[in-house]
Amino acid sequence: MVLNYIWLAFFLIAALVATVKAVCFGDVEVFPAIIDSTFASSKTAFEISLGLTGVLSLWLGIMKIGERGGVVNGLARLLGPVFARLFPDVPRNHPVVGHMFMNLSANMLGLDNAATPLGLKAMEGLQTLNPKKDTASNPMIMFLVLNTSGLTLIPVSILVYRAQMGAAAPTDIFIPILICTFVSTLAGVVTTSLYQRINLLQPTLLLFLGGLSAIVAGIVWGFSRLDGPMMELVGTTSANVILLAIIVTFLLTAALRRVNVYDAFVEGAKDGFQTAVRIIPYLVAILVAIGVFRASGAMDALIGGIVWLVSALGGDAEWVGALPTALMKPLSGSGARGMMVDAMTNYGADSFVGRLSCIFQGSTDTTFYILAVYFGSVGIRHTRHAVTCGLMADLAGIIAAVFICYLFFG
């Protein structure tokens, strides 16, 4: 229901802004721009779905091999004590636990191409446990919020963009991003737990969250001792080595258990095309709404209003220059990336705004895109508190990014 209101609001606000621009300023070009954006966004949605087909087929095939070989079930047993408390409605040692772990691991390594199909596989497993097939269950929402909060340990792509834009030290935003994305994830977990009445003070969960905090601190310490080029090399290489190791482990384990790995792969890959087709309507809906909102000038009006308000209150409005990236990130990953590059181009890669835009880009994920793809793949129409929790995680990441950027670079 919340997503329905937000989707409707995009169109109504866009229409209002366009009307004001046409009547008050004589800008009649806004209407063709809005209509053009609907066609362009629809095409983009289809191209995204088409591009996902091959990747989905590949990773769903790999996951089927992992299931047949027993690796996924092994992960489920290993993580059972933690996931049983964080996802109390999921039976202990259920295979979907392994799927969720694989997805979250891929996200943390910045492997978006692998994370999406693994996440769709996990969502499919959660749907089999869902008593109301058109309504998001508690485990679905917790899993989705963990995705939208965007916990990434190695933000390789952002480091590469900074290097391309001429940053003197492309990796100087690595630690701020890691801190902010961890804050975003923690806020998402806490918010969702409050909605679902999950007790986070259980010893097992405290130990898990404490261990995760220690891992993040260890990565911060280790990477802080590397120079820029070595940090990028280690980050890129480690992510890809881990990914290759997962594939080889799945194959070898299945082969040792005398599983026909080729047949298992083909069986799993067949679901890739069907899943890609199922998400097309949901992607078209959300991307068209975002495109209309941007083309109408509503985004520019929002930014201008925030600048005026901060200045009127006597605050430092320098950070507002990077805000387009933060506001666009929940809506569109590619749009936010474009905003980030634009900020570095106009202000400089090593400027406060340039650095903050990069931290915004790395601190959260594309909430509405993930909602459309993940819930759309299993036909969920009633999202309950998923949007609220996802946006709360985004807000925590944005606020943390502003404070951390002032702390490190202000």
Side-chain angles (χ1 to χ4, degrees), residues 62-112:
I62 295 294
M63 287 304 296
K64 180 61 69 174
I65 294 173
E67 290 176 9
R68 295 278 184 86
V71 177
V72 172
N73 288 332
L75 287 172
R77 288 192 295 273
L78 180 65
L79 297 168
V82 172
F83 276 66
R85 290 161 176 79
L86 205 56
F87 300 89
D89 295 335
V90 175
R92 186 182 290 269
N93 300 332
H94 193 280
V96 74
V97 174
H99 298 150
M100 288 191 289
F101 174 75
M102 295 294 297
N103 162 263
L104 297 174
S105 298
N107 269 326
M108 286 190 288
L109 294 171
L111 303 168
D112 296 338

Side-chain angles (χ1 to χ4, degrees), residues 131-149:
K132 299 179 67 175
K133 300 302 181 183
D134 65 342
T135 302
S137 65
N138 283 349
M140 283 180 168
I141 295 173
M142 177 65 81
F143 175 65
L144 186 134
V145 170
L146 287 173
N147 273 268
T148 63
S149 60

Side-chain angles (χ1 to χ4, degrees), residues 127-325:
Q127 179 69 335
T128 63
L129 302 172
N130 186 8
K132 299 179 67 175
K133 300 302 181 183
D134 65 342
T135 302
S137 65
N138 283 349
M140 283 180 168
I141 295 173
M142 177 65 81
F143 175 65
L144 186 134
V145 170
L146 287 173
N147 273 268
T148 63
S149 60
L151 180 59
T152 302
L153 301 181
I154 310 173
V156 175
S157 61
I158 298 176
L159 303 182
V160 171
Y161 276 110
R162 284 186 54 75
Q164 291 174 342
M165 297 302 295
T171 56
D172 58 3
I173 47 82
F174 169 75
I175 292 177
I177 285 178
L178 193 57
I179 295 172
C180 293
T181 189
F182 185 68
V183 169
S184 175
T185 300
L186 195 59
V189 170
V190 171
T191 304
T192 309
S193 297
L194 291 174
Y195 266 99
Q196 300 179 3
R197 299 183 179 180
I198 296 173
N199 179 16
L200 292 178
L201 299 180
Q202 302 174 69
T204 302
L205 286 180
L206 288 176
L207 183 62
F208 173 74
L209 293 174
L212 186 60
S213 301
I215 291 173
V216 171
I219 292 174
V220 168
W221 177 83
F223 273 79
S224 66
R225 299 173 66 85
L226 303 176
D227 58 23
M230 182 58 66
M231 185 182 293
E232 293 179 24
L233 177 63
V234 171
T236 304
T237 303
S238 59
N240 287 289
V241 167
I242 291 172
L243 188 61
L244 180 60
I246 290 171
I247 295 174
V248 172
T249 300
F250 279 19
L251 292 172
L252 288 178
T253 304
L256 290 173
R257 295 196 172 195
R258 301 186 181 278
V259 172
N260 187 322
V261 292
Y262 180 80
D263 286 347
F265 177 85
V266 171
E267 181 183 342
K270 288 179 181 178
D271 295 332
F273 178 78
Q274 297 173 0
T275 302
V277 171
R278 279 200 303 270
I279 67 177
I280 291 176
Y282 299 89
L283 272 182
V284 170
I286 197 67
L287 292 186
V288 167
I290 292 169
V292 167
F293 188 78
R294 292 180 62 188
S296 69
M299 178 66 77
D300 294 334
L302 179 61
I303 297 299
I306 294 174
V307 170
W308 176 85
L309 179 62
V310 172
S311 300
L313 294 174
D316 181 9
E318 183 182 10
W319 61 274
V320 181
L323 196 55
T325 304

